Amino acid sequence: MRTRHKPVGRPARPRVVVVGAGFAGLNAVRELARGGALVALVDPRPYSTFQPLIYQVATAGINAGDVAYPLRAFAGKYPSVRVRVARLSNLHLDDKWVELADGTAIDYDYLVLATGVTTNWFGIEGAREHAMPMYSIRDAVTLRERMMRCLEETAEAKRPGTHVVVVGGGPTGVETAGVLAELRRHTIPLTHSEIKPEQTSVTLVERLDYVLAPYKPRLRDAAADALRKRGVNLRLGSTVTAVEPDAVILDDGTRLHSDVTIWAPGVIAPKEVADCGLPQGKGGRVVVTEALNLEEHPEVFVAGDLALPPQPLPQVAQPAIQMGKHVGRQILAAAQGRPVQPFSYRDPGIMAIVGRAEAVIQLPNGATMHGLLPWLVWIFVHIAYLLSGRNRITVLNDFFWRYLGPRHSAAPVAE
């Protein structure tokens, strides 16, 4: 039986429901709480996940707990914030309330949708059943356990080898392939000396003729060369047509043997948002105005990867952070009767890591760098984004132990 909680009369402070506890959602909550709004933060998980380091969990570089931060610990800093661990079920925009999967509902004056996105299978036969996504902590832990099991079975001669195919040449695919290649070269000979080099491989499949599409050609080429140097087999200009339990099938008929298939070619809006009748564009993202709200329901704002503004932005951390802050400020302005302002993105540049001492950075002014310095910048920028001081210390320690420790890349056993 569904219950609704309606306060008597309209509160002096705006009631805001924020759905999603990623970069956008948490930054919106922070701005709203500081401005005195009453905020209900809704997310199906009791913790926020630091998405950019999920692949490090999957490859046992860092522990799962180091990329998670409890929502109640975050909300505890702000007396006006309440957490609801529940999944969104439906939106009732005309009546201004959200329906949750547990049968309850929350009324609002303003709504922020910041659910993020999820794995896009592109309708490819067998992909959902046989490929492994890498979008949540559970995905990463499942992948890590699959990799460890395959390596153990290879070492014990229960299977002929452990061959990995990574589908998708964006930052996630490149970073994953790079770290797996280094594990193959440096860690496996130490931890599984029974396994011969030819019994393992890492292959990256990308439908475009280059990796890292948002980057300039110089950086694309540098990243591709760095991957090849690390032993990654690149299949560029190749489209996946099917995924089987032990193979990836390409459009030219090539059958790539795969003991572990990692899926990272793109994302799409989650089903709970896609089914709510919102205006949607490419990838199911919600079409918004320049102020990041809905044309027909200006009290509803959308931020982060889920939002599709007139000028599309990359689906990475910085746009989500800035969108979240903007949305929070605009809601506070609207609650005081002031007009909302258009969102203006301040581009700090984009970066991706390829492996130890190798990363690429593209700055807003067009300057590009690759090598050791961008790699160090990548590490410290990502450390700074973590919510907890403890997480920052442990992740920094794990990074330098993995890449600069006495055995270079001998990864710790994750929890």
Side-chain angles (χ1 to χ4, degrees):
M1 179 178 177
R2 193 188 81 233
T3 59
R4 293 181 62 191
H5 306 285
K6 293 180 72 77
V8 178
R10 183 181 178 86
R13 296 189 289 177
R15 299 168 300 165
V16 186
V17 174
V18 178
V19 183
F23 287 119
L26 293 187
N27 278 278
V29 169
R30 187 180 286 115
E31 292 293 328
L32 290 163
R34 289 172 177 171
L38 302 173
V39 184
L41 175 60
V42 179
D43 196 273
R45 299 182 181 90
Y47 54 84
S48 176
T49 303
F50 190 76
Q51 208 70 42
L53 294 181
I54 283 290
Y55 79 96
Q56 290 280 350
V57 176
T59 56
I62 58 178
N63 294 322
D66 292 336
V67 297
Y69 189 72
L71 294 185
R72 293 192 179 276
F74 173 82
K77 303 174 184 177
Y78 309 102
S80 63
V81 178
R82 295 293 180 266
V83 172
R84 287 295 304 276
V85 179
R87 187 174 296 278
L88 176 68
S89 177
N90 204 355
L91 298 175
H92 299 265
L93 301 183
D94 293 334
D95 296 322
K96 296 187 178 180
W97 60 282
V98 297
E99 183 178 349
L100 305 180
D102 62 6
T104 61
I106 311 177
D107 297 277
Y108 64 81
D109 299 312
Y110 297 92
L111 172 65
V112 178
L113 295 175
T115 62
V117 286
T118 190
T119 305
N120 190 347
W121 302 103
F122 294 98
I124 294 174
E125 180 183 355
R128 184 186 293 271
E129 294 78 11
H130 306 305
M132 307 191 72
M134 199 162 49
Y135 199 75
S136 68
I137 290 178
R138 178 172 294 183
D139 292 338
V141 171
T142 301
L143 173 57
R144 185 189 69 209
E145 291 175 349
R146 168 72 174 167
M147 283 288 301
M148 289 181 174
R149 185 166 61 252
C150 285
L151 289 172
E152 287 302 317
E153 291 175 356
T154 301
E156 296 170 5
K158 294 179 180 179
R159 69 166 58 232
T162 298
H163 302 279
V164 182
V165 175
V166 180
V167 181
T172 299
V174 167
E175 291 175 350
T176 303
V179 74
L180 286 173
E182 293 193 336
L183 288 175
R184 174 178 174 265
R185 292 198 310 165
H186 300 297
T187 303
I188 293 175
L190 295 172
T191 59
H192 299 76
S193 57
E194 307 94 329
I195 299 177
K196 299 177 182 178
E198 62 269 18
Q199 289 182 282
T200 62
S201 68
V202 179
T203 301
L204 176 66
V205 178
E206 166 57 43
R207 65 179 180 83
L208 300 176
D209 293 326
Y210 43 80
V211 297
L212 298 179
Y215 293 74
K216 290 189 173 184
R218 175 172 176 265
L219 293 185
R220 297 173 187 166
D221 294 342
D225 290 344
L227 289 173
R228 292 189 182 99
K229 181 181 178 181
R230 287 162 172 76
V232 177
N233 304 312
L234 295 184
R235 295 299 300 256
L236 304 179
S238 299
T239 300
V240 175
T241 58
V243 180
E244 298 178 353
D246 61 349
V248 172
I249 311 302
L250 305 183
D251 53 352
D252 62 0
T254 300
R255 186 177 187 275
L256 300 175
H257 175 74
S258 179
D259 298 285
V260 181
T261 301
I262 300 173
W263 195 258
V267 290
I268 194 170
K271 187 177 186 301
E272 58 265 29
V273 173
D275 291 346
C276 286
L278 300 171
Q280 293 178 274
K282 183 179 179 181
R285 298 167 73 185
V286 179
V287 178
V288 295
T289 69
E290 291 184 349
L292 303 183
N293 58 353
L294 300 186
E295 189 75 46
E296 296 185 0
H297 292 276
E299 75 281 359
V300 178
F301 290 78
V302 186
D305 291 349
L306 185 63
L308 184 60
Q311 297 296 323
L313 296 169
Q315 292 173 288
V316 293
Q318 263 299 319
I321 291 170
Q322 293 182 32
M323 282 183 183
K325 292 179 179 179
H326 174 84
V327 163
R329 292 165 183 164
Q330 300 319 302
I331 289 174
L332 294 173
Q336 296 172 6
R338 293 185 281 120
V340 297
Q341 301 298 318
F343 174 66
S344 178
Y345 178 54
R346 300 176 300 281
D347 184 6
I350 51 178
M351 62 181 70
I353 191 171
V354 182
R356 178 166 59 92
E358 184 65 44
V360 295
I361 289 183
Q362 183 170 301
L363 301 176
N365 62 5
T368 61
M369 292 185 292
H370 67 90
L372 175 61
L373 179 59
W375 178 72
L376 292 172
V377 171
W378 183 95
I379 289 178
F380 284 106
V381 165
H382 283 71
I383 295 296
Y385 281 165
L386 289 166
L387 289 173
S388 163
R390 182 194 67 83
N391 287 10
R392 294 189 190 104
I393 293 171
T394 55
V395 170
L396 183 63
N397 178 71
D398 286 345
F399 271 147
F400 280 96
W401 182 259
R402 179 171 199 167
Y403 291 114
L404 301 176
R407 291 192 172 189
H408 301 302
S409 293
V413 177
E415 295 174 346

